[in-house]
Amino acid sequence: MAASRLELNLVRLLSRCEAMAAEKRDPDEWRLEKYVGALEDMLQALKVHASKPASEVINEYSWKVDFLKGMLQAEKLTTSSEKALANQFLAPGRVPTTARERVPATKTVHLQSRARYTSEMRSELLGTPEMDLRKRTGVAGSQPVSEKQSAAELDLVLQRHQNLQEKLAEEMLGLARSLKTNTLAAQSVIKKDNQTLSHSLKMADQNLEKLKTESERLEQHTQKSVNWLLWAMLIIVCFIFISMILFIRIMPKLK
């Protein structure tokens, strides 16, 4: 089925957004965020369009739009470690947007942003002591800073980032434990519900068998009752008939 005009426009705008995301942008750049918002509106309209594509294609578009949206949100974070952590949770698209792409553009952007945030973290780790040294040198004049002091400052920065990473790891571990606990609780509830349902089905089958047996017994009893009643009435009718005949024969003789 040929692509609709709405889908073609979405693909063009998505390709443009991917190209802009791969480029180095100014902090005041606002067009990409507006374009991603327009992509979300177009994607919602495409989902209810009369000639919408297959569900797999729509899911691929959704992944790419969500990736671009998440990338913009990660760029607004304050520290490079938070940006790197947010970048790890992003899922790029799996299929190229255009036929000219050999590798999905969102995957390339994901790798570029990861390398950039890693470089920024390395710069924070190694560049902060150097800036402190320059400030101390400018204040104190030409007096050199001892290697011991610079090493202590470097250790302080490394310790600070290590504490931050440990805190993030503890939070992720807590979330994982909470998720595991909720999953086990849900499995326990589902297991109990399945057991209750199985017991109810078993009881229903037993009641159905009992009802069927009792119905057959009642039918047999009804048939037996009807047969005995029929024979009794036949006997009574015969007895009345014979009695009438005898009565008719006897009455003239009495006269």
Side-chain angles (χ1 to χ4, degrees):
M1 184 174 61
S4 61
R5 182 181 295 273
L6 178 60
E7 184 179 1
L8 293 176
N9 293 334
L10 186 143
V11 171
R12 293 192 187 100
L13 184 57
L14 180 59
S15 178
R16 175 58 179 163
C17 291
E18 292 173 348
M20 292 179 64
E23 298 173 353
K24 187 176 181 180
R25 304 184 308 279
D26 295 332
D28 298 333
E29 176 64 39
W30 54 270
R31 292 181 299 172
L32 181 58
E33 187 172 358
K34 295 296 183 182
Y35 289 167
V36 173
L39 277 176
E40 290 181 330
D41 296 337
M42 295 173 67
L43 181 61
Q44 295 298 326
L46 184 62
K47 290 180 180 179
V48 297
H49 197 268
S51 57
K52 63 180 180 181
S55 58
E56 294 81 4
V57 179
I58 293 181
N59 290 335
E60 183 67 23
Y61 292 154
S62 300
W63 287 334
K64 293 181 179 180
V65 173
D66 292 339
F67 170 79
L68 293 173
K69 186 178 179 180
M71 186 195 68
L72 292 175
Q73 292 177 353
E75 290 179 352
K76 295 179 181 180
L77 297 176
T78 55
T79 62
S80 57
S81 58
E82 293 177 351
K83 294 179 182 179
L85 182 61
N87 182 263
Q88 292 179 0
F89 292 98
L90 297 179
R94 299 178 296 179
V95 180
T97 304
T98 60
R100 294 176 298 177
E101 299 177 1
R102 299 182 59 183
V103 179
T106 51
K107 187 174 182 179
T108 304
V109 173
H110 190 219
L111 296 176
Q112 289 177 353
S113 58
R114 179 185 299 177
R116 183 171 67 254
Y117 296 146
T118 304
S119 178
E120 290 179 1
M121 291 179 62
R122 188 182 296 109
S123 299
E124 288 182 0
L125 289 173
L126 301 179
T128 303
E130 183 179 356
M131 293 175 61
D132 293 340
L133 289 176
R134 291 178 181 176
K135 291 181 180 179
R136 293 177 182 272
T137 303
V139 174
S142 60
Q143 183 179 359
V145 181
S146 63
E147 295 181 358
K148 183 177 181 181
Q149 184 178 1
S150 61
E153 292 175 349
L154 180 59
D155 292 338
L156 181 61
V157 174
L158 292 175
Q159 184 65 31
R160 184 181 64 183
H161 284 274
Q162 184 178 359
N163 293 336
L164 179 61
Q165 291 179 357
E166 290 178 356
K167 183 179 179 181
L168 292 175
E170 290 177 358
E171 291 179 356
M172 293 180 65
L173 183 60
L175 292 175
R177 289 176 178 173
S178 177
L179 180 61
K180 182 179 179 180
T181 302
N182 295 334
T183 303
L184 292 176
Q187 289 178 354
S188 177
V189 172
I190 293 173
K191 186 177 180 180
K192 291 181 180 179
D193 291 342
N194 289 334
Q195 292 177 353
T196 304
L197 181 61
S198 300
H199 181 70
S200 300
L201 291 175
K202 185 177 180 180
M203 292 297 296
D205 293 337
Q206 293 178 356
N207 293 334
L208 182 62
E209 291 295 332
K210 291 181 179 179
L211 180 62
K212 185 177 180 181
T213 303
E214 294 297 330
S215 298
E216 292 176 355
R217 291 178 59 186
L218 180 61
E219 184 178 358
Q220 293 176 1
H221 181 71
T222 303
Q223 291 177 356
K224 290 180 180 179
S225 300
V226 171
N227 291 334
W228 282 107
L229 181 63
L230 180 62
W231 282 107
M233 292 185 67
L234 287 175
I235 292 173
I236 292 172
V237 169
C238 293
F239 177 76
I240 294 173
F241 180 74
I242 294 173
S243 299
M244 289 298 295
I245 293 175
L246 293 175
F247 181 76
I248 293 171
R249 289 183 177 185
I250 294 173
M251 287 301 295
K253 292 180 180 181
L254 293 176
K255 292 179 179 181

